[in-house]
Amino acid sequence: MSGHLLEIEGLCAGYLGQDVVHNASLFVGQGEAVAVIGSNGAGKTTMFRAICGMLEATAGTVRFDGEDITNQKAHKVSRAGVVYVPAERHLFPQMSVRENLVLGAYPKRPSGSQLDMIFRLFPRLEERLSQHAGLMSGGEQQMLAVGRALMSSPRVLLLDEPTTGLSPLLANEAYDALAELRSDGLTILVAEQQVPLALGLVDRGYVLDHGRIDLTGTADELRDDPGVRRAYLGV
Amino acid sequence: MNLTDLTAVVLDGFVLGLQFGILGVGLTLVYGLGGIVNLAHGQMAVLAAIIIARLIDGGTQTALALLIGVTAVGILGLVLDLTLMQPVYREPGEGRVLLGLLLMLGVGFIIDGILEWRYPIEALTLRVSGSPIRILDVPMRRGSIIASAAIIGIGAALALFFRYTTFGRATRSVIQDEQGARLCGVNPALVRTVVFALSGVLAGVVAVTRAMTTPVDSTAGVSLTVFALIVAVVGGLGSVSGAFLAGILLGIVNTVSAFYIGSYVSTIILLVVAAITIVVRPSGLLGVKS
């Protein structure tokens, strides 16, 4: 047992019998922040969906805290502590911000201290508490999606392109919030195509290209890699 | 136009509308959660009615008979969800709606067939004794008042349950965004099973409250299902308060048109009002926009 909190080995997954992710392996240690970088269509979302039980993996294993959770039902993966924030957010549009947050703690009742922690991180959410989630701006919805995920006190947070639809300013703010969570000790796996932002947050990263992980290294190594620089950093 | 007449007709419509409402709620919840149009909903109500009528005929105390009849269709809902509906839930997209609709249509035919074969002239009538009570100067039969009070009480309890309890909130989360619900740790299969059973119980409640105002005979299933469908669609599929609102609206439209024009056109007018509502608000009065 190597003892990493989240370990993915030889993962294959896709749609309609066609694999999109091929033989992907990665790990995330306790308290680490790790990025999966890749362009649109590289397979980041497919990989994340297979990790969290939203999509069936056709091969490979997902281990969390030493336990095999491959192809467990999504609600069980979430209750075990692996909580996924999809790029499309999947909020409950006709519920208030408060109700969305309360559901994040399901099946437990939310505690006041959790809510306070989330309001410290995202003061906007406290101002908008009774607003319907569907009527909020993209930036606020992103805050709510992360806030909702945090309500269950996750042990690993999986974020799929948290900057989707956000202006550069809001994208920076989103990553400031993630940095704060990280320094509080939360384990984070983030998929991102805005590579400079992601590499500013994480310790290590994996480059996913056409469904295969073809490069891995520390944030600094990736920043200095000629391939990464050409493909993602525009240098 | 006589004002007392109008008040009486509107009040009658309100009583009928509450029954329509509770009828629609059972259908709308099951559809909102799993995409299943329960075309046997009215037949389940009639099944409860006939069970209760047989039990009372056989000498069972009325209260116990009501309890058994309502519980029986609740269990039927539970069993249908856990057996016949399982392959339906595994079907993605439009296939699910069609398969669910056809299977439940079949269940409806089976219940109808059995009832017409074994109990062709059976009907449930629950007489509530006592003189009429005047409401807004209109004498209302006690049966209507008790039935309406029961429905309002149950409707309020449902509303509170869905708004404030953890399981109720989880139910709404599956209706609004099933994937989001799963990410929050909600098990949609469990929610669907519980709510299908609840929908069966509500069909039983329809039978009981309806029988306090009108006999419920063994052939009433199809028309109850059709009313349930209209109410659920007009109210907005998946919305409990929408179903009640639509039920009351359509109940009043039904009695007013039956009184002033004739009962032969009231169903047509009902359908026209339903069609107009859907054209103006495609997702229903209080529907979840997708």
Side-chain angles (χ1 to χ4, degrees), chain B residues 11 49 54 82-83 98 102 112 122 124 147 163 179-180 185-186 205 208 238 251 273 277 280 288:
Chain B
L11 278 177
R54 298 295 303 169
L82 291 176
T83 56
L98 290 175
L102 288 175
D112 258 341
E122 194 74 57
L124 177 66
R163 184 140 299 276
Q179 292 203 35
V186 175
V205 170
V208 172
V273 172
T277 317
V280 178
V288 177

Short mmCIF file of all heavy atoms in Angstrom, two decimals, chain B residues 11 49 54 82-83 98 102 112 122 124 147 163 179-180 185-186 205 208 238 251 273 277 280 288:
data_model
loop_
_atom_site.label_atom_id
_atom_site.label_comp_id
_atom_site.label_asym_id
_atom_site.label_seq_id
_atom_site.Cartn_x
_atom_site.Cartn_y
_atom_site.Cartn_z
N LEU B 11 -67.91 26.93 -5.37
CA LEU B 11 -67.53 26.11 -4.20
C LEU B 11 -67.49 24.63 -4.57
O LEU B 11 -66.56 23.91 -4.19
CB LEU B 11 -68.52 26.33 -3.05
CG LEU B 11 -68.26 27.57 -2.19
CD1 LEU B 11 -69.34 27.71 -1.13
CD2 LEU B 11 -66.88 27.50 -1.54
N ALA B 49 -60.51 1.80 -3.93
CA ALA B 49 -61.94 1.98 -3.65
C ALA B 49 -62.65 0.63 -3.57
O ALA B 49 -63.45 0.38 -2.66
CB ALA B 49 -62.58 2.85 -4.73
N ARG B 54 -65.32 -3.80 -0.71
CA ARG B 54 -65.45 -5.23 -0.41
C ARG B 54 -65.27 -5.49 1.09
O ARG B 54 -66.00 -6.27 1.69
CB ARG B 54 -64.43 -6.06 -1.19
CG ARG B 54 -64.55 -6.00 -2.71
CD ARG B 54 -65.83 -6.60 -3.22
NE ARG B 54 -66.02 -7.98 -2.82
CZ ARG B 54 -67.15 -8.66 -2.95
NH1 ARG B 54 -68.21 -8.07 -3.48
NH2 ARG B 54 -67.23 -9.92 -2.58
N LEU B 82 -40.11 -1.44 -7.65
CA LEU B 82 -38.97 -2.34 -7.43
C LEU B 82 -38.90 -3.45 -8.48
O LEU B 82 -37.87 -4.12 -8.59
CB LEU B 82 -39.06 -2.96 -6.03
CG LEU B 82 -38.81 -1.97 -4.89
CD1 LEU B 82 -39.00 -2.66 -3.55
CD2 LEU B 82 -37.42 -1.37 -4.98
N THR B 83 -39.98 -3.68 -9.22
CA THR B 83 -39.95 -4.76 -10.21
C THR B 83 -40.06 -4.21 -11.63
O THR B 83 -39.06 -3.97 -12.30
CB THR B 83 -41.10 -5.75 -9.96
OG1 THR B 83 -42.33 -5.04 -9.96
CG2 THR B 83 -40.94 -6.44 -8.62
N LEU B 98 -41.15 6.52 -22.89
CA LEU B 98 -42.06 5.67 -23.68
C LEU B 98 -42.26 4.31 -23.04
O LEU B 98 -43.38 3.81 -22.95
CB LEU B 98 -41.51 5.52 -25.11
CG LEU B 98 -41.59 6.81 -25.92
CD1 LEU B 98 -40.91 6.62 -27.27
CD2 LEU B 98 -43.02 7.26 -26.11
N LEU B 102 -45.79 2.88 -21.57
CA LEU B 102 -46.45 1.68 -22.10
C LEU B 102 -46.64 0.63 -21.01
O LEU B 102 -47.70 0.00 -20.94
CB LEU B 102 -45.62 1.10 -23.25
CG LEU B 102 -45.67 1.94 -24.53
CD1 LEU B 102 -44.73 1.38 -25.58
CD2 LEU B 102 -47.08 2.01 -25.08
N ASP B 112 -57.96 -2.66 -14.65
CA ASP B 112 -59.30 -2.46 -15.21
C ASP B 112 -59.96 -3.79 -15.54
O ASP B 112 -61.14 -4.02 -15.21
CB ASP B 112 -59.20 -1.63 -16.51
CG ASP B 112 -59.58 -0.19 -16.26
OD1 ASP B 112 -60.25 0.08 -15.24
OD2 ASP B 112 -59.20 0.66 -17.08
N GLU B 122 -69.49 -3.15 -8.59
CA GLU B 122 -69.07 -2.68 -7.26
C GLU B 122 -68.78 -1.17 -7.32
O GLU B 122 -68.31 -0.66 -8.32
CB GLU B 122 -67.81 -3.43 -6.86
CG GLU B 122 -67.44 -3.31 -5.40
CD GLU B 122 -68.36 -4.14 -4.51
OE1 GLU B 122 -68.46 -5.37 -4.71
OE2 GLU B 122 -68.95 -3.54 -3.61
N LEU B 124 -67.71 2.29 -4.43
CA LEU B 124 -67.49 2.74 -3.06
C LEU B 124 -68.20 4.06 -2.85
O LEU B 124 -67.98 5.03 -3.57
CB LEU B 124 -65.99 2.90 -2.76
CG LEU B 124 -65.66 3.46 -1.36
CD1 LEU B 124 -66.07 2.47 -0.27
CD2 LEU B 124 -64.18 3.80 -1.24
N ALA B 147 -64.11 15.80 3.05
CA ALA B 147 -63.17 15.41 2.00
C ALA B 147 -62.20 16.55 1.70
O ALA B 147 -60.98 16.35 1.61
CB ALA B 147 -63.93 15.02 0.73
N ARG B 163 -40.72 20.80 1.68
CA ARG B 163 -39.96 22.02 1.86
C ARG B 163 -38.92 21.89 2.99
O ARG B 163 -37.80 22.33 2.84
CB ARG B 163 -40.91 23.19 2.16
CG ARG B 163 -40.23 24.54 2.27
CD ARG B 163 -41.03 25.64 1.63
NE ARG B 163 -41.24 25.43 0.22
CZ ARG B 163 -40.36 25.77 -0.73
NH1 ARG B 163 -39.22 26.35 -0.41
NH2 ARG B 163 -40.63 25.54 -2.00
N GLN B 179 -28.31 14.67 -11.61
CA GLN B 179 -26.86 14.52 -11.47
C GLN B 179 -26.34 15.30 -10.28
O GLN B 179 -25.50 14.82 -9.52
CB GLN B 179 -26.17 14.99 -12.75
CG GLN B 179 -26.45 14.09 -13.93
CD GLN B 179 -25.37 14.22 -14.99
OE1 GLN B 179 -24.20 14.40 -14.68
NE2 GLN B 179 -25.77 14.14 -16.25
N GLY B 180 -26.85 16.53 -10.13
CA GLY B 180 -26.46 17.33 -8.99
C GLY B 180 -26.81 16.64 -7.68
O GLY B 180 -26.03 16.65 -6.72
N GLY B 185 -24.73 13.25 -2.77
CA GLY B 185 -24.88 12.06 -1.94
C GLY B 185 -26.31 11.54 -1.86
O GLY B 185 -26.61 10.67 -1.05
N VAL B 186 -27.21 12.11 -2.69
CA VAL B 186 -28.59 11.64 -2.68
C VAL B 186 -28.69 10.39 -3.57
O VAL B 186 -28.16 10.39 -4.68
CB VAL B 186 -29.55 12.73 -3.21
CG1 VAL B 186 -30.98 12.19 -3.31
CG2 VAL B 186 -29.50 13.96 -2.32
N VAL B 205 -55.93 7.91 -1.24
CA VAL B 205 -56.60 9.08 -0.66
C VAL B 205 -57.61 9.65 -1.63
O VAL B 205 -58.70 10.08 -1.24
CB VAL B 205 -55.54 10.15 -0.27
CG1 VAL B 205 -56.22 11.45 0.11
CG2 VAL B 205 -54.67 9.65 0.87
N VAL B 208 -60.76 7.57 -1.37
CA VAL B 208 -61.53 7.81 -0.15
C VAL B 208 -62.24 9.16 -0.20
O VAL B 208 -63.44 9.26 0.07
CB VAL B 208 -60.60 7.74 1.08
CG1 VAL B 208 -61.34 8.18 2.34
CG2 VAL B 208 -60.04 6.33 1.24
N GLY B 238 -43.86 17.72 -11.94
CA GLY B 238 -42.89 17.74 -10.85
C GLY B 238 -43.23 18.73 -9.75
O GLY B 238 -42.56 18.78 -8.74
N GLY B 251 -61.03 22.31 -11.74
CA GLY B 251 -62.25 21.91 -11.06
C GLY B 251 -63.32 22.97 -11.18
O GLY B 251 -64.49 22.69 -11.48
N VAL B 273 -59.02 24.70 -21.97
CA VAL B 273 -58.30 25.51 -20.97
C VAL B 273 -56.91 24.92 -20.74
O VAL B 273 -55.91 25.63 -20.66
CB VAL B 273 -59.09 25.58 -19.64
CG1 VAL B 273 -58.25 26.24 -18.56
CG2 VAL B 273 -60.37 26.36 -19.84
N THR B 277 -53.36 26.81 -21.52
CA THR B 277 -52.34 26.99 -20.48
C THR B 277 -50.99 26.49 -20.97
O THR B 277 -49.95 27.12 -20.74
CB THR B 277 -52.72 26.19 -19.21
OG1 THR B 277 -54.09 26.37 -18.97
CG2 THR B 277 -51.92 26.67 -18.01
N VAL B 280 -49.47 28.88 -23.50
CA VAL B 280 -48.96 30.10 -22.87
C VAL B 280 -47.76 29.80 -21.98
O VAL B 280 -46.77 30.53 -21.97
CB VAL B 280 -50.08 30.80 -22.05
CG1 VAL B 280 -49.54 32.03 -21.36
CG2 VAL B 280 -51.23 31.17 -22.98
N VAL B 288 -41.00 23.13 -13.37
CA VAL B 288 -39.56 23.31 -13.33
C VAL B 288 -39.10 23.55 -14.76
O VAL B 288 -39.31 22.72 -15.63
CB VAL B 288 -38.88 22.05 -12.76
CG1 VAL B 288 -37.37 22.21 -12.80
CG2 VAL B 288 -39.36 21.80 -11.36
#
